[in-house]
Amino acid sequence: MTDRVPAALEALACSEDAALKQLPGTRPVLHRSLTVPANKRPFVKNGILARLSVQQLAALGECLEPIVLKERMVLQEPRRQVEHVYFIESGLVSLRVVAAGSMLETAVIGYRGVVGASFLWGGHFSTHQSVVIFPGSAHRIRVEDLRRVMKVHPEVREHLFEYVQALTFQCVQTGLCGVRHHREQRLASWLCLASAAIDARVLPVTHDYLSSVLGLRRAGVTETLIRFEEQGLIRKMRGVLQIDDPNSLAEKACCCYKLVSAAYVPSSFRTCSENQAS
Protein backbone atom coordinates (compact mmCIF):
# COMPACT_ATOMS: atom_id res chain seq x y z
CA MET A 1 0.00 0.00 0.00
CA THR A 2 1.28 3.47 -0.85
CA ASP A 3 0.35 6.96 0.29
CA ARG A 4 1.09 8.49 -3.09
CA VAL A 5 -2.00 10.01 -4.72
CA PRO A 6 -1.93 9.51 -8.53
CA ALA A 7 -1.85 12.53 -10.80
CA ALA A 8 -5.28 11.63 -12.13
CA LEU A 9 -6.79 12.13 -8.68
CA GLU A 10 -4.93 15.37 -8.15
CA ALA A 11 -6.38 16.70 -11.39
CA LEU A 12 -9.86 15.64 -10.29
CA ALA A 13 -9.67 17.05 -6.77
CA CYS A 14 -7.94 20.26 -7.81
CA SER A 15 -10.15 20.98 -10.82
CA GLU A 16 -10.53 24.75 -11.07
CA ASP A 17 -9.07 25.09 -7.56
CA ALA A 18 -8.47 28.80 -8.00
CA ALA A 19 -12.15 29.33 -8.70
CA LEU A 20 -13.12 27.32 -5.65
CA LYS A 21 -11.18 29.68 -3.40
CA GLN A 22 -13.40 32.57 -4.44
CA LEU A 23 -16.29 31.42 -2.29
CA PRO A 24 -16.30 29.65 1.09
CA GLY A 25 -18.57 26.78 2.05
CA THR A 26 -20.52 24.79 -0.48
CA ARG A 27 -21.94 27.50 -2.73
CA PRO A 28 -21.41 26.86 -6.44
CA VAL A 29 -18.88 29.02 -8.23
CA LEU A 30 -20.46 30.64 -11.27
CA HIS A 31 -18.70 31.64 -14.45
CA ARG A 32 -19.89 33.24 -17.66
CA SER A 33 -22.60 31.55 -19.70
CA LEU A 34 -21.69 28.95 -22.30
CA THR A 35 -21.61 30.71 -25.66
CA VAL A 36 -21.97 28.73 -28.86
CA PRO A 37 -20.66 30.39 -32.05
CA ALA A 38 -22.78 29.88 -35.15
CA ASN A 39 -21.94 26.65 -36.98
CA LYS A 40 -19.12 25.88 -34.55
CA ARG A 41 -19.51 23.19 -31.90
CA PRO A 42 -17.91 23.85 -28.48
CA PHE A 43 -16.43 20.98 -26.49
CA VAL A 44 -18.79 19.60 -23.88
CA LYS A 45 -18.26 16.28 -22.12
CA ASN A 46 -21.77 15.88 -20.73
CA GLY A 47 -23.37 12.97 -22.55
CA ILE A 48 -26.69 14.72 -23.13
CA LEU A 49 -25.29 18.05 -24.29
CA ALA A 50 -22.82 16.24 -26.54
CA ARG A 51 -25.71 14.63 -28.45
CA LEU A 52 -27.43 17.93 -29.21
CA SER A 53 -27.04 19.75 -32.51
CA VAL A 54 -25.18 23.05 -32.75
CA GLN A 55 -28.52 24.86 -33.04
CA GLN A 56 -29.90 23.17 -29.92
CA LEU A 57 -26.72 23.91 -27.97
CA ALA A 58 -26.87 27.53 -29.10
CA ALA A 59 -30.43 27.79 -27.78
CA LEU A 60 -29.30 26.47 -24.40
CA GLY A 61 -25.97 28.28 -24.38
CA GLU A 62 -27.13 31.70 -23.19
CA CYS A 63 -28.90 30.09 -20.23
CA LEU A 64 -26.21 27.61 -19.19
CA GLU A 65 -23.97 28.67 -16.31
CA PRO A 66 -20.71 26.70 -15.89
CA ILE A 67 -20.12 26.07 -12.18
CA VAL A 68 -17.59 24.29 -10.01
CA LEU A 69 -18.93 21.40 -7.96
CA LYS A 70 -17.31 21.23 -4.57
CA GLU A 71 -17.20 18.07 -2.46
CA ARG A 72 -20.27 17.72 -0.17
CA MET A 73 -22.12 20.47 -2.02
CA VAL A 74 -25.86 19.80 -1.82
CA LEU A 75 -27.43 20.48 -5.21
CA GLN A 76 -30.98 19.57 -4.23
CA GLU A 77 -32.88 18.66 -1.11
CA PRO A 78 -35.94 16.38 -0.94
CA ARG A 79 -39.34 18.09 -0.85
CA ARG A 80 -37.78 21.35 -2.04
CA GLN A 81 -38.72 23.11 -5.25
CA VAL A 82 -36.53 22.24 -8.22
CA GLU A 83 -35.05 25.49 -9.51
CA HIS A 84 -32.06 24.33 -11.55
CA VAL A 85 -31.06 21.40 -13.70
CA TYR A 86 -27.35 20.48 -13.62
CA PHE A 87 -25.63 18.95 -16.66
CA ILE A 88 -22.63 17.22 -15.07
CA GLU A 89 -19.31 17.62 -16.89
CA SER A 90 -16.99 15.99 -14.34
CA GLY A 91 -17.11 14.68 -10.80
CA LEU A 92 -19.76 12.47 -9.22
CA VAL A 93 -23.10 13.18 -7.57
CA SER A 94 -24.86 10.81 -5.16
CA LEU A 95 -28.65 10.57 -5.48
CA ARG A 96 -30.14 9.63 -2.11
CA VAL A 97 -33.35 8.91 -0.28
CA VAL A 98 -33.26 10.48 3.17
CA ALA A 99 -35.78 9.71 5.91
CA ALA A 100 -35.82 9.60 9.73
CA GLY A 101 -32.09 10.13 10.00
CA SER A 102 -31.29 7.31 7.56
CA MET A 103 -29.86 7.53 4.06
CA LEU A 104 -29.87 5.18 1.07
CA GLU A 105 -28.04 5.92 -2.15
CA THR A 106 -30.15 4.99 -5.17
CA ALA A 107 -27.86 6.12 -8.01
CA VAL A 108 -24.67 7.95 -8.91
CA ILE A 109 -24.62 10.62 -11.61
CA GLY A 110 -21.56 11.54 -13.63
CA TYR A 111 -20.78 13.13 -16.97
CA ARG A 112 -23.45 11.11 -18.79
CA GLY A 113 -26.35 12.67 -16.92
CA VAL A 114 -28.16 15.48 -15.19
CA VAL A 115 -29.39 16.36 -11.71
CA GLY A 116 -32.86 17.82 -11.32
CA ALA A 117 -34.70 16.43 -14.32
CA SER A 118 -37.58 15.16 -12.17
CA PHE A 119 -39.58 18.21 -13.25
CA LEU A 120 -40.14 16.40 -16.58
CA TRP A 121 -42.72 14.20 -14.87
CA GLY A 122 -44.75 17.26 -13.93
CA GLY A 123 -43.59 17.56 -10.33
CA HIS A 124 -42.29 20.78 -8.81
CA PHE A 125 -40.41 19.26 -5.87
CA SER A 126 -37.34 17.07 -5.65
CA THR A 127 -37.83 13.53 -4.37
CA HIS A 128 -34.14 12.93 -3.62
CA GLN A 129 -31.18 14.60 -2.03
CA SER A 130 -28.33 15.21 -4.48
CA VAL A 131 -24.85 15.57 -2.98
CA VAL A 132 -21.48 16.00 -4.72
CA ILE A 133 -19.12 13.24 -3.60
CA PHE A 134 -16.27 13.75 -6.12
CA PRO A 135 -15.50 17.39 -7.02
CA GLY A 136 -15.88 18.50 -10.60
CA SER A 137 -17.86 20.87 -12.79
CA ALA A 138 -21.27 21.24 -14.40
CA HIS A 139 -23.46 23.52 -16.51
CA ARG A 140 -26.67 24.54 -14.80
CA ILE A 141 -29.85 26.07 -16.19
CA ARG A 142 -33.00 27.39 -14.57
CA VAL A 143 -36.00 25.09 -15.00
CA GLU A 144 -38.14 27.80 -16.62
CA ASP A 145 -35.39 28.51 -19.17
CA LEU A 146 -35.04 24.82 -19.98
CA ARG A 147 -38.81 24.50 -20.44
CA ARG A 148 -38.75 27.43 -22.85
CA VAL A 149 -35.95 25.88 -24.91
CA MET A 150 -37.70 22.50 -25.01
CA LYS A 151 -40.83 24.06 -26.51
CA VAL A 152 -38.79 25.26 -29.46
CA HIS A 153 -36.48 22.21 -29.59
CA PRO A 154 -38.47 19.11 -28.53
CA GLU A 155 -35.44 16.92 -29.24
CA VAL A 156 -33.87 18.28 -26.05
CA ARG A 157 -36.85 16.97 -24.08
CA GLU A 158 -36.54 13.57 -25.79
CA HIS A 159 -32.89 13.23 -24.79
CA LEU A 160 -33.72 14.19 -21.21
CA PHE A 161 -36.64 11.77 -21.06
CA GLU A 162 -34.43 8.94 -22.26
CA TYR A 163 -31.87 9.71 -19.56
CA VAL A 164 -34.48 10.00 -16.80
CA GLN A 165 -35.89 6.60 -17.79
CA ALA A 166 -32.42 5.08 -17.37
CA LEU A 167 -31.92 6.87 -14.06
CA THR A 168 -35.29 5.64 -12.79
CA PHE A 169 -34.33 2.10 -13.78
CA GLN A 170 -31.08 2.40 -11.82
CA CYS A 171 -32.94 3.62 -8.72
CA VAL A 172 -35.35 0.67 -8.88
CA GLN A 173 -32.57 -1.81 -9.60
CA THR A 174 -30.59 -0.51 -6.62
CA GLY A 175 -33.49 -1.39 -4.33
CA LEU A 176 -33.54 -4.94 -5.67
CA CYS A 177 -29.76 -5.22 -5.47
CA GLY A 178 -29.74 -4.25 -1.80
CA VAL A 179 -31.93 -7.16 -0.74
CA ARG A 180 -30.94 -9.84 -3.27
CA HIS A 181 -27.19 -9.64 -3.84
CA HIS A 182 -24.32 -10.25 -1.49
CA ARG A 183 -21.63 -7.86 -0.33
CA GLU A 184 -18.91 -8.71 -2.85
CA GLN A 185 -21.27 -8.33 -5.82
CA ARG A 186 -22.66 -5.01 -4.59
CA LEU A 187 -19.25 -3.51 -3.88
CA ALA A 188 -17.89 -4.54 -7.27
CA SER A 189 -21.00 -3.19 -8.98
CA TRP A 190 -20.76 0.20 -7.21
CA LEU A 191 -17.07 0.58 -8.05
CA CYS A 192 -17.68 -0.26 -11.72
CA LEU A 193 -20.66 2.10 -12.02
CA ALA A 194 -18.80 4.95 -10.30
CA SER A 195 -15.75 4.42 -12.50
CA ALA A 196 -17.91 4.52 -15.64
CA ALA A 197 -19.76 7.61 -14.39
CA ILE A 198 -16.56 9.65 -14.08
CA ASP A 199 -14.68 7.90 -16.91
CA ALA A 200 -11.70 7.20 -14.65
CA ARG A 201 -10.24 4.33 -12.64
CA VAL A 202 -9.15 6.40 -9.63
CA LEU A 203 -11.93 6.87 -7.06
CA PRO A 204 -11.40 9.17 -4.04
CA VAL A 205 -13.60 7.01 -1.81
CA THR A 206 -13.20 5.62 1.72
CA HIS A 207 -14.31 2.42 3.41
CA ASP A 208 -16.61 4.46 5.65
CA TYR A 209 -18.35 6.01 2.68
CA LEU A 210 -18.90 2.69 0.92
CA SER A 211 -20.24 1.26 4.15
CA SER A 212 -22.74 4.09 4.60
CA VAL A 213 -24.13 4.29 1.06
CA LEU A 214 -24.40 0.53 0.61
CA GLY A 215 -25.71 -0.19 4.11
CA LEU A 216 -22.89 -2.63 4.84
CA ARG A 217 -20.75 -3.17 7.92
CA ARG A 218 -17.45 -1.33 7.65
CA ALA A 219 -15.50 -4.45 8.67
CA GLY A 220 -17.19 -6.35 5.85
CA VAL A 221 -16.33 -3.63 3.32
CA THR A 222 -12.68 -3.66 4.43
CA GLU A 223 -12.51 -7.45 4.26
CA THR A 224 -13.92 -7.51 0.73
CA LEU A 225 -11.64 -4.73 -0.53
CA ILE A 226 -8.61 -6.51 0.90
CA ARG A 227 -9.66 -9.62 -1.00
CA PHE A 228 -10.09 -7.59 -4.21
CA GLU A 229 -6.61 -6.15 -3.73
CA GLU A 230 -5.07 -9.59 -3.17
CA GLN A 231 -6.67 -10.69 -6.44
CA GLY A 232 -5.10 -7.74 -8.27
CA LEU A 233 -8.42 -6.07 -9.04
CA ILE A 234 -7.85 -2.84 -7.12
CA ARG A 235 -5.19 -0.94 -5.23
CA LYS A 236 -5.98 0.87 -1.98
CA MET A 237 -4.20 4.07 -1.01
CA ARG A 238 -4.88 6.78 1.54
CA GLY A 239 -8.45 7.92 0.81
CA VAL A 240 -8.17 6.60 -2.73
CA LEU A 241 -9.08 3.40 -4.52
CA GLN A 242 -7.63 2.58 -7.93
CA ILE A 243 -9.15 -0.04 -10.23
CA ASP A 244 -6.35 -2.02 -11.86
CA ASP A 245 -8.36 -4.77 -13.58
CA PRO A 246 -11.79 -3.38 -14.55
CA ASN A 247 -12.80 -6.42 -16.60
CA SER A 248 -12.20 -8.88 -13.78
CA LEU A 249 -13.88 -6.54 -11.31
CA ALA A 250 -16.92 -6.38 -13.58
CA GLU A 251 -17.08 -10.18 -13.49
CA LYS A 252 -17.37 -9.97 -9.71
CA ALA A 253 -20.29 -7.54 -9.98
CA CYS A 254 -23.90 -8.67 -9.89
CA CYS A 255 -26.15 -8.57 -12.94
CA CYS A 256 -27.30 -5.08 -11.88
CA TYR A 257 -24.08 -3.57 -13.22
CA LYS A 258 -24.67 -4.82 -16.79
CA LEU A 259 -28.39 -4.02 -16.69
CA VAL A 260 -27.84 -0.45 -15.47
CA SER A 261 -24.95 0.13 -17.90
CA ALA A 262 -27.11 -1.04 -20.80
CA ALA A 263 -29.94 1.28 -19.74
CA TYR A 264 -27.69 4.32 -20.19
CA VAL A 265 -26.69 3.45 -23.75
CA PRO A 266 -28.59 5.86 -26.06
CA SER A 267 -31.44 4.17 -27.94
CA SER A 268 -29.89 5.10 -31.30
CA PHE A 269 -26.73 3.18 -30.36
CA ARG A 270 -28.75 0.20 -29.11
CA THR A 271 -30.75 0.06 -32.33
CA CYS A 272 -27.58 0.17 -34.40
CA SER A 273 -26.02 -2.66 -32.36
CA GLU A 274 -29.15 -4.77 -32.61
CA ASN A 275 -29.28 -4.31 -36.38
CA GLN A 276 -25.62 -5.31 -36.72
CA ALA A 277 -26.20 -8.37 -34.55
CA SER A 278 -29.13 -9.50 -36.70
Side-chain angles (χ1 to χ4, degrees):
M1 184 181 301
T2 175
D3 293 337
R4 180 177 177 272
V5 179
L9 176 64
E10 293 177 357
L12 176 66
C14 299
S15 174
E16 302 188 51
D17 184 62
L20 281 174
K21 294 179 180 178
Q22 296 175 14
L23 291 175
T26 59
R27 295 176 57 194
V29 179
L30 301 182
H31 300 282
R32 56 185 173 80
S33 298
L34 176 67
T35 56
V36 182
N39 300 321
K40 185 176 181 181
R41 185 178 190 87
F43 174 78
V44 287
K45 187 173 182 180
N46 179 267
I48 297 172
L49 294 180
R51 294 171 61 194
L52 301 181
S53 67
V54 174
Q55 292 75 20
Q56 293 160 3
L57 269 178
L60 285 172
E62 291 301 319
C63 304
L64 288 173
E65 300 174 311
I67 69 169
V68 173
L69 301 179
K70 199 172 182 180
E71 186 179 358
R72 299 181 183 177
M73 180 189 298
V74 178
L75 302 182
Q76 292 181 333
E77 288 281 16
R79 299 174 296 280
R80 298 285 182 85
Q81 187 168 358
V82 178
E83 297 182 350
H84 293 91
V85 172
Y86 298 80
F87 292 86
I88 307 301
E89 285 281 307
S90 63
L92 193 67
V93 176
S94 172
L95 197 65
R96 306 167 173 182
V97 174
V98 180
S102 299
M103 179 269 288
L104 173 67
E105 183 180 85
T106 59
V108 288
I109 301 174
Y111 77 97
R112 295 178 297 185
V114 301
V115 173
S118 59
F119 80 94
L120 289 169
W121 304 120
H124 298 285
F125 297 93
S126 175
T127 57
H128 290 73
Q129 182 187 63
S130 303
V131 182
V132 177
I133 55 176
F134 300 168
S137 62
H139 296 289
R140 81 174 186 180
I141 183 172
R142 295 183 65 84
V143 168
E144 56 264 36
D145 291 331
L146 183 54
R147 282 199 176 106
R148 176 174 50 80
V149 171
M150 291 190 301
K151 287 181 179 179
V152 181
H153 299 279
E155 297 88 354
V156 176
R157 178 185 292 273
E158 292 173 8
H159 288 313
L160 284 171
F161 261 126
E162 187 172 20
Y163 170 75
V164 171
Q165 287 177 332
L167 181 63
T168 302
F169 176 80
Q170 182 177 4
C171 292
V172 173
Q173 196 68 29
T174 297
L176 172 66
C177 186
V179 297
R180 293 294 185 185
H181 299 141
H182 60 73
R183 181 179 66 213
E184 181 178 277
Q185 291 178 313
R186 294 175 62 200
L187 267 171
S189 183
W190 192 95
L191 294 174
C192 289
L193 287 172
S195 175
I198 65 172
D199 192 25
R201 296 185 185 182
V202 178
L203 307 177
V205 66
T206 65
H207 297 199
D208 285 333
Y209 182 79
L210 292 172
S211 172
S212 65
V213 296
L214 294 174
L216 298 171
R217 292 175 55 250
R218 189 189 187 286
V221 169
T222 299
E223 177 185 332
T224 303
L225 292 179
I226 289 175
R227 187 157 59 247
F228 284 170
E229 188 168 31
E230 290 173 345
Q231 295 169 351
L233 308 181
I234 65 170
R235 209 181 328 161
K236 296 190 283 88
M237 292 161 274
R238 180 179 296 175
V240 179
L241 188 151
Q242 179 168 312
I243 299 175
D244 288 337
D245 190 346
N247 293 331
S248 296
L249 185 64
E251 292 176 1
K252 296 281 186 181
C254 56
C255 62
C256 298
Y257 166 60
K258 290 184 179 180
L259 291 172
V260 171
S261 296
Y264 282 106
V265 176
S267 59
S268 57
F269 296 160
R270 289 198 298 269
T271 302
C272 180
S273 299
E274 290 167 0
N275 290 340
Q276 291 176 351
S278 60

